[in-house]
């Protein structure tokens, strides 16, 4: 499988024939599922107001029924269809960050089937910043519920092939928009009570949010409160079929040498370039770039290492600041789940 090299500039403005969008709309209208690209990861979509189609999402993904979905909208008209009220803080955030990788938790409109949000009275909503996703939503003319298009617990797909390989014939159609530019899932922000709180870190950081709305509570991995508020967080996530070992920058070279003596099938995945000889590694990807490039390539590197039969992937850690908070969240959960 061909993947985007680290240095490839990805243009989200890829053209896809209108006929493909029309076919996708027809499938959705008939109650089917369509996978589509967003700027973050590929989503597995169904019409929000079609309860049977929503159930299919949970079945195909093997998703626990207590893990709520994100609703995707193309415009404010679609947005106001699914939420009960729009507080002033939401207006500010929408103006600053939509379309973009920010999911807002708001009170759910009663006509949205409860199973979309796993029975909660709140709903997760976002406007994706991807031309194909927006085109699809506009042509359909109504909101689409879409979790990441992977089997539950696995890393999110960032290329159309990832979805095809993992979900196969269970999804009628995969709209191919090439590799997703962000590569990590959206930031989830709860604005239903008191001070807004980050439930899942993403490309839009705490600092970005605070610059627009003032005080925001940071993402907390272990707090009881955040477990209750973000139901998905209690399930394991982002786990490839490869053991993930996290290594700080300072120890990277030394640890690679040490692991070489283990007799395991090894892979290298680093954010910077290290002086580690390629010999002895089944998978070797050193990213000479910034955190954004690392984020963009993280999940596809997991899958590529898996495809090569790597047993242990030696992954460089990054500093937990800015986008590094989201990168380390995914890496730590992947490492924890792959033990
Ligand atoms: O970037 C993304 O957000 C991608 C693309 C496809 O848009 N979608 C995505 O969806 O990552 P999913 O289902 O894989 O993750 C949704 C997250 C879960 O952690 C879930 O618990 C949380 O959002 N969530 C959804 N509804 C919620 C609610 N009402 N209250 C709290 N958390 C909620
Ligand atoms: Mg997911």
């Amino acid at each position: 499988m061909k993947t985007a090299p680290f240095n490839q500039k990805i243009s989200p403005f890829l053209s896809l024939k209108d006929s493909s969008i029309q076919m996708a709309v027809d499938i959705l209208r008939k109650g089917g599922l369509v996978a589509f690209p967003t700027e973050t990861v590929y989503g597995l979509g169904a019409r929000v107001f079609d309860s049977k189609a929503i159930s299919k999402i949970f079945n195909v993904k093997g998703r626990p029924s207590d893990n709520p979905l994100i609703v995707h909208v193309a415009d404010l008209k679609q947005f106001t269809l699914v939420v009960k009220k729009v507080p002033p803080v939401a207006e500010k955030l929408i103006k600053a960050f939509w379309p973009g990788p920010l999911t807002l938790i708001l009170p759910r409109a009663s006509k949205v089937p409860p199973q979309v949000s796993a029975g909660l009275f709140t709903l997760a909503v976002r406007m994706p910043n991807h031309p194909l996703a927006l085109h699809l939503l506009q042509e359909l003319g109504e909101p689409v519920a879409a979790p990441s298009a992977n089997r539950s617990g696995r890393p999110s797909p960032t290329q159309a092939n990832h979805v095809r390989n993992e979900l196969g014939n269970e999804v009628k159609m995969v709209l191919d928009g090439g590799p997703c530019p962000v590569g990590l899932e959206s930031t989830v922000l709860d604005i239903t009570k008191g001070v807004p709180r980050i439930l899942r870190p993403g490309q839009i950081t705490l600092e970005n949010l605070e610059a627009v709305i003032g005080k925001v509570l940071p993402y907390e991995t272990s707090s009881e409160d955040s477990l209750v508020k973000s139901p998905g967080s209690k399930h394991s996530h982002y786990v490839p079929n490869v053991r993930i070992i996290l290594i700080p920058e300072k120890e990277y070279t030394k640890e690679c040498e040490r692991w070489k003596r283990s007799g395991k099938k090894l892979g290298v995945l680093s954010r910077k370039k290290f002086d580690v000889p390629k010999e002895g590694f089944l998978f070797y990807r050193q990213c000479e770039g910034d955190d954004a490039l690392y984020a963009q390539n993280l999940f596809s590197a997991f899958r590529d290492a898996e495809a090569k039969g790597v047993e242990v992937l030696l992954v460089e850690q990054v500093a937990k600041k800015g986008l590094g908070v989201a990168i380390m969240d995914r890496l730590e959960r992947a490492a924890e789940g792959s033990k």
Side-chain angles (χ1 to χ4, degrees), residues 184-254:
L184 298 181
E185 308 81 354
S186 61
T187 305
V188 177
L189 185 71
D190 185 356
I191 50 172
T192 56
K193 25 181 138 62
V195 182
R197 178 194 287 277
I198 296 179
L199 300 184
R200 180 176 71 183
Q203 192 199 45
I204 294 177
T205 63
L206 179 91
E207 295 76 21
N208 297 151
L209 295 167
E210 287 196 329
V212 174
I213 55 167
K215 183 79 188 138
V216 169
L217 298 173
Y219 169 62
E220 284 171 41
T221 26
S222 55
S223 97
E224 274 303 304
D225 197 28
S226 93
L227 280 184
V228 170
K229 284 185 169 179
S230 187
S233 59
K234 65 175 177 280
H235 304 291
S236 81
H237 268 99
Y238 320 118
V239 184
N241 202 5
V242 172
R243 190 171 162 209
I244 303 285
I245 301 289
L246 301 183
I247 305 171
E249 178 192 351
K250 285 205 176 83
E251 290 157 36
Y252 198 77
T253 313
K254 197 180 78 212

Side-chain angles (χ1 to χ4, degrees), residues 38 40-43 63 67-70 72 103 105 117 120 122-124 126 146-148 185-186 188 199-200 229-232:
T38 77
T40 57
V41 301
Y42 276 74
R63 185 176 178 105
N67 193 358
L69 309 179
I70 295 178
H72 295 66
T103 295
I105 307 294
S117 65
L120 297 173
T122 55
L123 187 71
R126 84 180 193 97
S148 50
E185 308 81 354
S186 61
V188 177
L199 300 184
R200 180 176 71 183
K229 284 185 169 179
S230 187

Side-chain angles (χ1 to χ4, degrees), residues 77-324:
K77 203 169 135 227
Q78 292 187 4
F79 173 59
T80 45
L81 280 180
V82 293
V83 296
K84 198 168 247 166
K85 61 172 188 249
V86 185
V89 68
E91 284 174 21
K92 282 191 194 165
L93 290 163
I94 288 169
K95 208 165 155 220
F97 299 110
W98 280 11
L102 176 66
T103 295
L104 298 176
I105 307 294
L106 286 157
R108 171 171 59 86
S110 45
K111 62 176 176 251
V112 173
Q115 91 237 52
V116 173
S117 65
L120 297 173
F121 291 103
T122 55
L123 187 71
V125 193
R126 84 180 193 97
M127 191 186 290
N129 187 18
H130 193 290
L132 282 186
L134 290 172
H135 195 169
L136 176 68
L137 291 163
Q138 275 153 6
E139 287 297 312
L140 179 69
E142 54 182 306
V144 163
S148 50
N150 50 281
R151 293 220 192 270
S152 195
R154 297 263 305 148
S156 295
T158 56
Q159 297 175 26
N161 266 345
H162 299 166
V163 184
R164 287 195 203 100
N165 292 346
E166 190 152 309
L167 302 181
N169 295 335
E170 290 180 78
V171 179
K172 287 243 164 71
M173 185 176 188
V174 183
L175 285 172
D176 190 345
C180 300
V182 177
L184 298 181
E185 308 81 354
S186 61
T187 305
V188 177
L189 185 71
D190 185 356
I191 50 172
T192 56
K193 25 181 138 62
V195 182
R197 178 194 287 277
I198 296 179
L199 300 184
R200 180 176 71 183
Q203 192 199 45
I204 294 177
T205 63
L206 179 91
E207 295 76 21
N208 297 151
L209 295 167
E210 287 196 329
V212 174
I213 55 167
K215 183 79 188 138
V216 169
L217 298 173
Y219 169 62
E220 284 171 41
T221 26
S222 55
S223 97
E224 274 303 304
D225 197 28
S226 93
L227 280 184
V228 170
K229 284 185 169 179
S230 187
S233 59
K234 65 175 177 280
H235 304 291
S236 81
H237 268 99
Y238 320 118
V239 184
N241 202 5
V242 172
R243 190 171 162 209
I244 303 285
I245 301 289
L246 301 183
I247 305 171
E249 178 192 351
K250 285 205 176 83
E251 290 157 36
Y252 198 77
T253 313
K254 197 180 78 212
E255 279 298 292
C256 284
E257 286 310 319
R258 199 177 67 80
W259 272 96
K260 266 193 185 176
R261 297 191 290 272
S262 70
K264 299 269 183 211
K265 293 177 183 156
L266 300 175
V268 155
L269 174 62
S270 64
R271 178 187 173 288
K272 287 173 228 80
K273 184 134 185 70
F274 292 97
D275 187 17
V276 176
K278 274 191 178 171
E279 294 72 48
F281 294 104
L282 271 185
F283 173 84
Y284 192 90
R285 196 165 291 172
Q286 294 208 6
C287 168
E288 290 176 81
D290 53 11
D291 278 355
L293 207 55
Y294 202 36
Q296 190 183 75
N297 286 275
L298 213 57
F299 288 149
S300 63
F302 284 3
R303 286 179 189 268
D304 292 347
E306 219 176 54
K308 292 219 159 146
V310 168
E311 290 169 325
V312 178
L313 185 61
L314 306 171
V315 184
E316 185 193 347
Q317 295 178 1
V318 296
K320 284 186 185 173
K321 55 174 200 268
L323 180 58

